[in-house]
Every structure is written in C-alpha cells, then in structure tokens.
Amino acid sequence: MSVERLLTNVLRLYQDVHDDDRTEQLYSTTTTLLTHLSNPLNITVLTSQLLNAPAIWERGDGMRACYRVISIFNSAATHVRNKELEAAKLQEQAKHKQPPQPLPLQTHPALHGPPGSRASQGLPPGSRGSQAGPPVPQAPRTGGGLSCDDWVSAVLKGADDKSSRWQHLLVFCGVLLGMTSQKDPRNRHGLSYSMRNTVEQAFVTAVNLALRPNEQPHGQHREPEPPAPPGPIALALTYAFPLLSKSSRLALDCDAIVPVALNGMTGADGLQDGLFLCTIDGDLKQSGNHFTWQENSPSALLLRQLEQKPLVNGLGPLSKVVGFAIEHARDTNVVLQAQNDLLTFTQKLLHEWEASKLSEIEISEEEVYLTQETLQGPWVALWTLLRKVMYGSVAVLQTIVARSLLDPRMRNDAMAPVVASKTLKALRYLYFISSRNGSDAFQVYTFTYLTSVDNLARYSDACASFLRDAKPLNPGTIPPHPLHRTLDLFYLNVAEHLPLKLTPEDCDSLIVQPAMAYLTHSTPLSPRMLELFEAAHSAVLSVLSCPHNAPVTVKLAPFYAEALFSAFPTHISPRQFRLAFKTLMQILSPPYPISSTHPQLAETLLEMVRFRIGVASKVPLPPPETQVQSATPELPVSEQSTLVMTLIDSLPFLHLRIFEDWLTQAAHAVNQIEDVAMREAAKRRFWEILVSGEMDVERSAIGVAWWGTKGGRQAVLYGSQGGLPDVPMMSGAIQNNMDRAKL
C-alpha cells in the first residue's frame, strides 16, 4: 500500500474508537507515516489530526495515551535523526574517497614538456583539466527524505488551535527526546541551533499557557480552554526538563508548576495518595502464625501496575522538577502550600500503613511471620516502591528547607519554626520507611533533618509545641505496636537536640518520662529496642547536661546511674557505659552549679562504682558486633576492668577536695584486676590521664605531687605490696623494703 493511501486510511480510522489491538496497530502505523511522509504538509495534517483523534483521546486510556503520543514522536524523531546522520556519514565518506587516476599517455619523454606543464600531466594540448575531480555523488535519503529541521518544523505546525496546549506538550516532548542523543555527547543535538531554540520556546510557551489557560500570547486569540489535567503536564516536564537549556528552564512559570507537578506526583496519576496500601490486607492469608501474600494476588498486581506508571517510574526526575520550581517560585505562599500538601500526603501514607496488618510485624520478626513466597516476591516490591516514595518526598522537602534559609519571608521568626516543625513532622510520617535498613543514610535526608532541627531549636515555644504534638500516647510505657515504637525512636532522636530551650518542667514531662520506659526495660532487646534504649540514654543525658535543669538532675542522677549499672554489660557496650558515666560525672562536677548545691552527689556515684569493682565479673566480655570483623580489634575487657576504666575516666572532673583521695582509690582498683593484659591497659590509661592534658592546671599539679612524692607511682605500678605503706609515715620516709631502692 502506498504511503498516501495509508495516510488516508489512518485519518479515517482516527474518527472512531477501536479495541486494544486495533489501537496499538494505529499507533504503530502513525509512527511509520511520520517517518516516511515526504510532504511536510502531510506531516502537519497527520500531527493535527492525531491530537484531535477520538480513537486516541476518547478511549479513556488517560495517562497511557499521553505516554504513547510522546513515544510516537520520540521514535519518529529518533528515526529521522538517525537517517540524516547516516546520509551525512555516507556523503562524508564519498567526499573523501579518491577517484581512480587515469593512466599517463605513452609518449616520448621529449614530449612531456617541463615540469608543471599540461603535457607533463598526461593531458593533450588544449584540453581543460578538472581542478576539483569528478562530482561528489549524493547519498540517497531513506524514509521521507526530509531534514531534521524541515521535519520538526512540519510537526510543530501540526500543534495548532484545534488541540489543547497540554497536548502540544506531548508532541514537543517527544521531539526533544528523539532529537537528543544520549550516546554521542559531542553531537548531542540533531537540530540546528535556531530550530532547537524554537522547539524549546514552543515547549515553554505551551507549559505556561496550559497552566494559565486564561492568558493569551500577544497577538493571538483562541477559545478559553478548560483547566489542564496535571498528569500530562507533569509527564512532559519529567522527560523534557533535563533537556532544556538554562534560559528555557528559567522562562517556565514556576509558581504554576509547583502545585501541578506535586499533584502529578502524589495524586491519582502518581502515588494515589498512598491508597495502594489499603488493598493489601484483603489478600493476606493467615495460616497459624504465618502470613502469605501471593504474587498473583490483585493487590500485588496493582503494586506492579503502579510501579509501571510513567510518573511513578520517573519519580526521581519529577521530584527534581518540583524542587526546581520551588526554588525559583516567586510567590512564597506557593512553597508553603506545597509543604502543606506534602505533609498531608505523608500523613495519609502513615495512616494507611498503620491500618495494615503488615505494620504489626517488627523488622527482626519478618522471617518468622512471613512465608518465603511473600519475602521474595511482593514484600520486596512493596518496600522498593516505598523507598522510592521516601526519596522523592525528601528531595522536595530538601528544596523547601534550603529556600527557608534564604527567603526573607520564610526565615523570619514567625515562619521559620513553622517550616521546621512541618518538615520534621513529614519526616516523622516517613520514618517507618527511612528507619528501615539505613534508608535515611544519604546526604539529602541528613541536610533536611539536621537543618530543620537546628531551626526548631532556636525557639522555645516551637520546641515544646512540636514535642507535645509528637509525644507518645502513653509516656512511661512501651507501646506494643512496632510502628508506634518506631515513631518513639524518631521522637527521642529529635528530643535529644531540644532540652536547652525547654523549661525544666517540659524537659521532665516531654523527654525524661517518655525515655524512662526504655531505660528500665530489662528483657532481651531486639535490634529496634536496642536503638530505642540508646536513644533514651542520649535524650536523658542531654537533659542532664543543661545547667538550668539542675532540679531535674538532682532527682534523676542516682536513678540514671542505677539504670546504667543494670544495663551493663547486657544492653550497652563497655565503650557506651564509660562514655555515659563520664558524661554524668562531668555534669555533677565543677563548674556545673549542681556541684555546689549537692557536692556529695558525685562522690556517691564513685562509691557505687568502687563497690561494684569488688563484685564484678572478671570474665572477658565478647567484643561488640561492630568490632568482630574489625582489622584491629580492641583488647579484651571484663566487667571489672571496664568499671576500673570508668573510675579513671572520672578523675579529671572531680572536686579538688576529693581529687587526691580518689587518685589513691583508683590506683588500688587498678591492681584488683587479675588479668595481666587488662591490668596493664588500665595502668596505661591511668598514665594517660596524668600526662595527656585531660586535667586542668590545678589537678595536674596535685597529680604530679601525688605520683612523685606521695607514693602514687608505687601504688599504680606495684599495688599494695610495694606501694603505699600500711602504717602512717612521713612523706619521703625510708621504707624497710629495700626493693624500693631499685625504683
């Protein structure tokens, strides 16, 4: 069938709605015609009719039809571009190909003439030799034979007033994609510079007019259009935005793009407001304590279909479009509304997950309650999609937070805490995803989280308000639901940064009381409970570290010290125990005011350590899991040696009046360690405390005098057998043990 007859048939088929097979055939035939028509007018007519065809737009295919239109023009443009490159390559080869040289005339040498004469070139006298050689043959074009510029010009003319602006976007997007090579950076664009600018300007103009249909370009008048659907605009921007030049991007109407692109990301054409989670429970089959989610179930099929949606599959590029629009939007209210919309979406997502039975399974128990079919099939697909949702949402939040640092209307004292609080709430709603297997360990998340915490921590009322809103429902008790414990973990991690701006009463009710439930938990800890236990310790220490919380510290310090002793060594490592107790001793010592009001508190805690040294286990502890595979593992330690090290670590913070006494007590404790290697490590730590500069000038002077003239050296190195005398003796007196002369 000739191309002209095929065009006539296609135009006729455009007028009716067909079944799926016939429609697919129509798409393929349209692509073929676009690449083989040689008359630009026919290409223009075909494009115009395609954008108005009931066979395409009245089937109810929605975003699928938009995607296919982009694909048609992408494929056609790629074909035209490749054929032009092939023709240019053949022409270049033909141009450089040397024609065969004619044989010289067999004449007498005397007839050749002087060098450079016509006779010397083998030409008869009077002939006109060709200076450029034979004419270069022109390589025949395949397909329609049009150049890229001519073909694109014909296509652009087909985007006329008979179709909507948002439909024009699909055509321009396909042309930009097809005319841009991703494989050849040196010759990336198949269009001339002027035509490339024309296509980009057409795309930008179509975007702006589709978003604001009541505005008309100067000199043009057309019927008002209904509001454009957000999905097609977001789809075209997703694919075309990376290809636009910087000047074209800046010409986009970012104020109008923000709500449309965000709606395309989270709405019906994208993530469906998280409603895909509510279909899972109906397909779960329970057999005893095991749940099965079959891969061929309707909800699993829906999950795969959602993943294949263009806007979901391109969630990363779409989030970049939203981020760019937020960064360059002129109206701050548009940015604030985008944050509210994203906050609403993340809240819906959390609520849908909370209503699912799968949220009742803790991460460490998944292999116990889920079958292998579930773990290897739909479960992987679900969390892959949720991580993609989290990455896209955090990318948008990052641009909002970055703008809040620069925009005067967002960084003032009225708006800055609001923006920070809403950002942290959105991150809290996403924490059931980001806390899974270290999914929050990327730079964008870290910047968004820490910057929001820093901004919030500047305002006392905002800190208290945020903690009250996110506070656990029953503080002081551990919630049975795994999801609620995950939210408690986020709460404690944020609360750790805020006590400096809170009153002592708020610190007690909003931080200490919620953390106490996890501090006193004594049963074996799962990985999640261990995280909560460590977060609770950090939150309580942050409260104790604030000087204005002295009334809370007085009541809490003994209880917290007892909690430390109870948790070691089952729940916390030796390093964690030493760090926590050292911090506590620093809080109870000068220059903190509590050291003056309650001077006996620090010494009481040291007595608790000294007492436990005598009864602690001397068996070496297993190394922490993080050090099992270390290339240079730490020396083995026991519970007793750790307590001795803790006592030594506390020495630089003690009050001057008790400092020398506890130097002696620490020296005796060192020699209570029976294991030689552990004892030598404690001695090295004691010496390090004295000489490394950890102590101030006054304590250093006392330490030097104690070491040199008061028997400190003997007490540390040799213990009670050769150290301090058992009877009162003047400093510097000669002892009976002559072995001391060797010192």
Side-chain angles (χ1 to χ4, degrees):
M1 182 182 296
S2 64
V3 176
E4 288 73 13
R5 288 187 59 189
L6 188 60
L7 174 62
T8 303
N9 289 339
V10 167
L11 295 179
R12 178 174 53 81
L13 291 173
Y14 278 167
Q15 308 309 313
D16 297 319
V17 178
H18 308 284
D19 57 17
D20 292 344
D21 294 339
R22 194 64 177 270
T23 303
E24 288 296 326
Q25 184 180 3
L26 195 58
Y27 283 130
S28 301
T29 307
T30 302
T31 305
T32 302
L33 284 172
L34 285 172
T35 57
H36 286 77
L37 288 172
S38 58
N39 190 339
L41 296 178
N42 288 338
I43 296 177
T44 300
V45 171
L46 181 61
T47 303
S48 177
Q49 292 298 315
L50 174 65
L51 296 180
N52 291 278
I56 304 299
W57 306 107
E58 295 182 7
R59 278 176 48 85
D61 289 343
M63 291 293 293
R64 181 175 178 274
C66 299
Y67 184 77
R68 290 307 304 271
V69 170
I70 293 178
S71 178
I72 286 174
F73 286 93
N74 178 23
S75 300
T78 301
H79 181 83
V80 172
R81 180 180 186 277
N82 290 339
K83 291 304 178 183
E84 183 175 76
L85 292 177
E86 290 177 5
K89 186 176 181 180
L90 291 174
Q91 185 174 354
E92 189 71 17
Q93 291 176 352
K95 181 178 180 181
H96 290 85
K97 185 177 180 181
Q98 295 295 334
Q101 297 294 331
L103 294 175
L105 296 176
Q106 299 296 326
T107 56
H108 194 275
L111 301 177
H112 285 172
S117 65
R118 303 188 64 81
S120 67
Q121 299 177 18
L123 299 176
S127 66
R128 301 180 60 188
S130 174
Q131 300 298 321
V136 178
Q138 297 293 328
R141 288 185 181 271
T142 59
L146 295 175
S147 66
C148 288
D149 284 12
D150 293 340
W151 185 86
V152 170
S153 178
V155 170
L156 295 184
K157 292 178 181 178
D160 51 26
D161 294 344
K162 298 178 183 179
S163 52
S164 300
R165 300 287 188 183
W166 63 267
Q167 292 175 307
H168 299 175
L169 286 176
L170 308 177
V171 176
F172 303 154
C173 176
V175 170
L176 283 172
L177 287 172
M179 289 296 172
T180 303
S181 172
Q182 304 296 335
K183 298 180 180 179
D184 187 4
R186 294 174 300 177
N187 189 24
R188 187 177 181 187
H189 303 312
L191 299 174
S192 63
Y193 180 79
S194 60
M195 182 54 69
R196 179 79 186 186
N197 285 341
T198 300
V199 177
E200 290 189 8
Q201 291 175 7
F203 181 85
V204 171
T205 302
V207 170
N208 295 339
L209 294 178
L211 295 172
R212 301 186 186 274
N214 295 327
E215 298 182 5
Q216 299 290 339
H218 181 70
Q220 295 185 18
H221 302 281
R222 58 182 290 169
E223 294 293 330
E225 295 183 8
I233 298 178
L235 180 65
L237 284 169
T238 299
Y239 290 110
F241 182 79
L243 308 178
L244 297 177
S245 62
K246 183 178 180 180
S247 59
S248 296
R249 294 181 183 182
L250 294 176
L252 291 169
D253 189 350
C254 292
D255 288 354
I257 287 177
V258 171
V260 171
L262 192 59
N263 183 279
M265 176 179 170
T266 62
D269 295 324
L271 297 171
Q272 301 176 349
D273 290 328
L275 296 178
F276 60 90
L277 292 174
C278 66
T279 64
I280 297 176
D281 279 2
D283 294 330
L284 288 179
K285 296 180 180 180
Q286 185 173 0
S287 176
N289 291 331
H290 291 82
F291 289 93
T292 301
W293 183 15
Q294 296 181 351
E295 195 165 3
N296 57 355
S297 61
S299 58
L301 178 61
L302 176 63
L303 203 63
R304 291 195 295 271
Q305 292 174 347
L306 183 65
E307 180 72 27
Q308 294 172 359
K309 281 189 171 184
L311 291 180
V312 177
N313 190 35
L315 201 58
L318 179 56
S319 65
K320 292 182 180 179
V321 174
V322 179
F324 177 87
I326 288 175
E327 181 182 356
H328 294 86
R330 298 178 180 178
D331 188 357
T332 304
N333 293 326
V334 172
V335 179
L336 297 176
Q337 184 59 44
Q339 187 184 35
N340 292 335
D341 294 342
L342 196 58
L343 180 64
T344 302
F345 166 73
T346 55
Q347 187 176 20
K348 289 180 180 178
L349 192 69
L350 176 65
H351 288 169
E352 294 296 339
W353 177 247
E354 185 178 11
S356 173
K357 296 178 182 178
L358 295 175
S359 66
E360 301 175 4
I361 304 175
E362 195 169 353
I363 297 177
S364 59
E365 299 175 345
E366 290 174 359
E367 295 184 357
V368 177
Y369 293 105
L370 297 177
T371 62
Q372 288 299 316
E373 177 186 0
T374 303
L375 290 172
Q376 297 175 3
W379 192 248
V380 176
L382 172 64
W383 286 105
T384 300
L385 176 60
L386 288 176
R387 279 194 296 270
K388 184 180 293 186
V389 174
M390 186 267 295
Y391 292 145
S393 301
V394 173
V396 176
L397 288 172
Q398 186 263 344
T399 57
I400 296 175
V401 172
R403 173 158 180 158
S404 70
L405 301 177
L406 304 174
D407 192 337
R409 289 162 292 184
M410 296 179 69
R411 69 183 182 188
N412 57 69
D413 293 340
M415 289 305 304
V418 176
V419 174
S421 178
K422 289 182 178 180
T423 302
L424 289 173
K425 287 180 180 179
L427 294 178
R428 176 178 178 267
Y429 297 144
L430 293 171
Y431 198 62
F432 76 97
I433 308 172
S434 59
S435 64
R436 184 182 178 87
N437 299 328
S439 297
D440 58 349
F442 59 104
Q443 187 175 4
V444 173
Y445 186 96
T446 303
F447 169 83
T448 305
Y449 173 74
L450 293 180
T451 304
S452 300
V453 169
D454 288 344
N455 286 339
L456 183 66
R458 295 161 50 201
Y459 305 94
S460 302
D461 295 339
C463 291
S465 177
F466 173 81
L467 292 179
R468 289 191 186 98
D469 292 341
K471 184 180 178 181
L473 296 178
N474 298 307
T477 61
I478 298 178
H481 201 294
L483 179 60
H484 296 165
R485 295 198 292 268
T486 300
L487 297 178
D488 286 357
L489 178 59
F490 183 86
Y491 177 88
L492 292 173
N493 287 337
V494 175
E496 175 187 350
H497 300 274
L498 306 181
L500 196 60
K501 285 292 184 178
L502 298 176
T503 63
E505 293 76 14
D506 286 338
C507 285
D508 183 51
S509 61
L510 297 177
I511 301 179
V512 174
Q513 292 182 15
M516 280 304 166
Y518 298 101
L519 285 179
T520 57
H521 188 70
S522 58
T523 59
L525 300 180
S526 64
R528 175 65 77 205
M529 287 298 297
L530 184 59
E531 290 181 274
L532 281 160
F533 179 79
E534 294 174 351
H537 274 278
S538 298
V540 171
L541 279 176
S542 67
V543 172
L544 299 179
S545 300
C546 298
H548 71 280
N549 285 332
V552 179
T553 304
V554 170
K555 296 185 297 183
L556 188 60
F559 173 82
Y560 179 71
E562 187 63 35
L564 280 177
F565 290 125
S566 301
F568 176 72
T570 55
H571 297 334
I572 58 178
S573 66
R575 182 191 63 83
Q576 292 172 320
F577 177 82
R578 290 173 59 184
L579 179 62
F581 198 89
K582 176 182 177 181
T583 304
L584 183 60
M585 291 301 301
Q586 186 176 4
I587 295 168
L588 300 176
S589 303
Y592 281 81
I594 194 174
S595 63
S596 300
T597 58
H598 296 78
Q600 76 286 353
L601 199 53
E603 193 169 9
T604 301
L605 298 184
L606 288 179
E607 288 289 353
M608 296 172 65
V609 176
R610 189 176 70 86
F611 172 77
R612 281 172 168 77
I613 290 175
V615 298
S617 172
K618 304 174 183 179
V619 179
L621 297 173
E625 294 182 0
T626 56
Q627 297 176 6
V628 171
Q629 299 178 354
S630 176
T632 57
E634 294 185 3
L635 295 175
V637 295
S638 65
E639 182 180 351
Q640 184 191 51
S641 69
T642 301
L643 291 172
V644 173
M645 290 287 199
T646 303
L647 189 61
I648 297 173
D649 292 340
S650 304
L651 293 176
F653 309 109
L654 299 183
H655 197 282
L656 291 177
R657 62 181 177 81
I658 62 173
F659 177 65
E660 185 173 331
D661 294 339
W662 280 101
L663 284 173
T664 303
Q665 297 292 346
H668 284 301
V670 167
N671 288 280
Q672 292 182 27
I673 304 175
E674 295 181 357
D675 186 272
V676 176
M678 297 181 189
R679 186 168 63 249
E680 291 301 318
K683 291 179 180 180
R684 287 194 297 270
R685 176 58 183 153
F686 204 116
W687 177 250
E688 182 182 353
I689 283 287
L690 294 174
V691 302
S692 64
E694 294 184 43
M695 296 187 295
D696 59 12
V697 175
E698 294 177 328
R699 289 171 179 80
S700 296
I702 296 174
V704 170
W706 174 83
W707 180 268
T709 63
K710 297 185 180 182
R713 179 173 180 269
Q714 293 86 346
V716 173
L717 298 180
Y718 301 103
S720 59
Q721 287 77 13
L724 297 177
D726 297 331
V727 296
M729 186 176 296
M730 181 186 297
S731 175
I734 299 176
Q735 304 179 32
N736 293 330
N737 191 346
M738 298 306 296
D739 291 338
R740 286 294 175 263
K742 300 177 181 179
L743 299 177

